mmCIF file of all heavy atoms in Angstrom:
data_model
loop_
_atom_site.group_PDB
_atom_site.id
_atom_site.type_symbol
_atom_site.label_atom_id
_atom_site.label_comp_id
_atom_site.label_asym_id
_atom_site.label_seq_id
_atom_site.Cartn_x
_atom_site.Cartn_y
_atom_site.Cartn_z
ATOM 1 N N VAL A 22 104.995 91.500 78.744
ATOM 2 C CA VAL A 22 103.926 92.034 79.485
ATOM 3 C C VAL A 22 102.638 91.187 79.387
ATOM 4 O O VAL A 22 102.030 91.181 78.288
ATOM 5 C CB VAL A 22 103.572 93.480 78.998
ATOM 6 C CG1 VAL A 22 102.422 94.105 79.832
ATOM 7 C CG2 VAL A 22 104.812 94.370 79.061
ATOM 8 N N PRO A 23 102.248 90.441 80.418
ATOM 9 C CA PRO A 23 101.002 89.717 80.372
ATOM 10 C C PRO A 23 99.853 90.547 80.896
ATOM 11 O O PRO A 23 100.058 91.450 81.747
ATOM 12 C CB PRO A 23 101.257 88.500 81.249
ATOM 13 C CG PRO A 23 102.180 89.095 82.315
ATOM 14 C CD PRO A 23 103.025 90.173 81.624
ATOM 15 N N PHE A 24 98.617 90.306 80.442
ATOM 16 C CA PHE A 24 97.494 90.935 81.048
ATOM 17 C C PHE A 24 96.228 90.070 80.893
ATOM 18 O O PHE A 24 96.175 89.264 79.976
ATOM 19 C CB PHE A 24 97.268 92.348 80.498
ATOM 20 C CG PHE A 24 96.674 92.408 79.076
ATOM 21 C CD1 PHE A 24 95.305 92.515 78.864
ATOM 22 C CD2 PHE A 24 97.552 92.338 78.004
ATOM 23 C CE1 PHE A 24 94.811 92.551 77.567
ATOM 24 C CE2 PHE A 24 97.044 92.372 76.698
ATOM 25 C CZ PHE A 24 95.667 92.507 76.500
ATOM 26 N N LYS A 25 95.324 90.285 81.798
ATOM 27 C CA LYS A 25 93.986 89.631 81.677
ATOM 28 C C LYS A 25 92.991 90.614 82.276
ATOM 29 O O LYS A 25 92.892 90.830 83.476
ATOM 30 C CB LYS A 25 93.929 88.306 82.449
ATOM 31 C CG LYS A 25 92.550 87.629 82.224
ATOM 32 C CD LYS A 25 92.468 86.321 82.983
ATOM 33 C CE LYS A 25 91.168 85.632 82.695
ATOM 34 N NZ LYS A 25 89.934 86.441 83.076
ATOM 35 N N GLY A 26 92.298 91.289 81.376
ATOM 36 C CA GLY A 26 91.285 92.264 81.808
ATOM 37 C C GLY A 26 91.853 93.631 81.995
ATOM 38 O O GLY A 26 91.131 94.637 81.647
ATOM 39 N N ASP A 27 93.044 93.773 82.503
ATOM 40 C CA ASP A 27 93.649 95.116 82.660
ATOM 41 C C ASP A 27 94.011 95.702 81.290
ATOM 42 O O ASP A 27 94.307 94.965 80.326
ATOM 43 C CB ASP A 27 94.922 95.002 83.534
ATOM 44 C CG ASP A 27 94.655 94.510 84.936
ATOM 45 O OD1 ASP A 27 93.584 94.896 85.497
ATOM 46 O OD2 ASP A 27 95.476 93.742 85.500
ATOM 47 N N ASP A 28 94.047 96.996 81.236
ATOM 48 C CA ASP A 28 94.417 97.722 80.003
ATOM 49 C C ASP A 28 95.916 98.106 80.092
ATOM 50 O O ASP A 28 96.280 98.923 80.909
ATOM 51 C CB ASP A 28 93.544 98.967 79.884
ATOM 52 C CG ASP A 28 93.792 99.658 78.535
ATOM 53 O OD1 ASP A 28 94.816 99.458 77.882
ATOM 54 O OD2 ASP A 28 92.845 100.405 78.095
ATOM 55 N N PRO A 29 96.776 97.501 79.277
ATOM 56 C CA PRO A 29 98.202 97.785 79.313
ATOM 57 C C PRO A 29 98.613 98.985 78.460
ATOM 58 O O PRO A 29 99.818 99.276 78.375
ATOM 59 C CB PRO A 29 98.799 96.511 78.768
ATOM 60 C CG PRO A 29 97.830 96.097 77.670
ATOM 61 C CD PRO A 29 96.443 96.457 78.248
ATOM 62 N N CYS A 30 97.688 99.731 77.931
ATOM 63 C CA CYS A 30 98.011 100.769 76.919
ATOM 64 C C CYS A 30 98.847 101.909 77.539
ATOM 65 O O CYS A 30 99.719 102.439 76.815
ATOM 66 C CB CYS A 30 96.777 101.316 76.267
ATOM 67 S SG CYS A 30 95.974 100.109 75.203
ATOM 68 N N LEU A 31 98.575 102.294 78.753
ATOM 69 C CA LEU A 31 99.387 103.379 79.389
ATOM 70 C C LEU A 31 100.863 102.919 79.475
ATOM 71 O O LEU A 31 101.733 103.689 79.105
ATOM 72 C CB LEU A 31 98.824 103.706 80.769
ATOM 73 C CG LEU A 31 99.738 104.640 81.605
ATOM 74 C CD1 LEU A 31 99.848 105.988 80.904
ATOM 75 C CD2 LEU A 31 99.172 104.821 83.027
ATOM 76 N N LEU A 32 101.089 101.682 79.954
ATOM 77 C CA LEU A 32 102.443 101.206 80.031
ATOM 78 C C LEU A 32 103.070 101.130 78.647
ATOM 79 O O LEU A 32 104.219 101.552 78.474
ATOM 80 C CB LEU A 32 102.416 99.787 80.651
ATOM 81 C CG LEU A 32 103.762 99.036 80.623
ATOM 82 C CD1 LEU A 32 104.855 99.801 81.368
ATOM 83 C CD2 LEU A 32 103.598 97.620 81.158
ATOM 84 N N LEU A 33 102.370 100.661 77.637
ATOM 85 C CA LEU A 33 102.898 100.576 76.316
ATOM 86 C C LEU A 33 103.287 101.939 75.743
ATOM 87 O O LEU A 33 104.362 102.133 75.101
ATOM 88 C CB LEU A 33 101.896 99.877 75.354
ATOM 89 C CG LEU A 33 101.549 98.473 75.724
ATOM 90 C CD1 LEU A 33 100.478 97.903 74.771
ATOM 91 C CD2 LEU A 33 102.774 97.547 75.721
ATOM 92 N N ASP A 34 102.461 102.971 76.016
ATOM 93 C CA ASP A 34 102.792 104.319 75.570
ATOM 94 C C ASP A 34 104.004 104.845 76.312
ATOM 95 O O ASP A 34 104.809 105.578 75.714
ATOM 96 C CB ASP A 34 101.573 105.248 75.784
ATOM 97 C CG ASP A 34 100.472 104.945 74.796
ATOM 98 O OD1 ASP A 34 100.720 104.333 73.738
ATOM 99 O OD2 ASP A 34 99.304 105.378 75.049
ATOM 100 N N LEU A 35 104.135 104.541 77.598
ATOM 101 C CA LEU A 35 105.280 105.032 78.337
ATOM 102 C C LEU A 35 106.548 104.406 77.873
ATOM 103 O O LEU A 35 107.620 105.078 77.725
ATOM 104 C CB LEU A 35 105.079 104.749 79.802
ATOM 105 C CG LEU A 35 103.991 105.572 80.529
ATOM 106 C CD1 LEU A 35 103.767 105.062 81.980
ATOM 107 C CD2 LEU A 35 104.332 107.071 80.555
ATOM 108 N N LEU A 36 106.527 103.087 77.589
ATOM 109 C CA LEU A 36 107.703 102.411 77.043
ATOM 110 C C LEU A 36 108.070 102.977 75.660
ATOM 111 O O LEU A 36 109.262 103.047 75.314
ATOM 112 C CB LEU A 36 107.423 100.905 76.956
ATOM 113 C CG LEU A 36 107.250 100.168 78.243
ATOM 114 C CD1 LEU A 36 106.798 98.691 77.988
ATOM 115 C CD2 LEU A 36 108.519 100.168 79.062
ATOM 116 N N ALA A 37 107.072 103.365 74.878
ATOM 117 C CA ALA A 37 107.354 103.860 73.544
ATOM 118 C C ALA A 37 108.093 105.163 73.543
ATOM 119 O O ALA A 37 108.648 105.600 72.512
ATOM 120 C CB ALA A 37 106.040 104.066 72.808
#
Side-chain angles (χ1 to χ4, degrees):
V22 181
F24 73 94
K25 183 181 185 299
D27 297 323
D28 188 336
C30 291
L31 172 61
L32 171 61
L33 298 177
D34 287 342
L35 292 173
L36 293 173

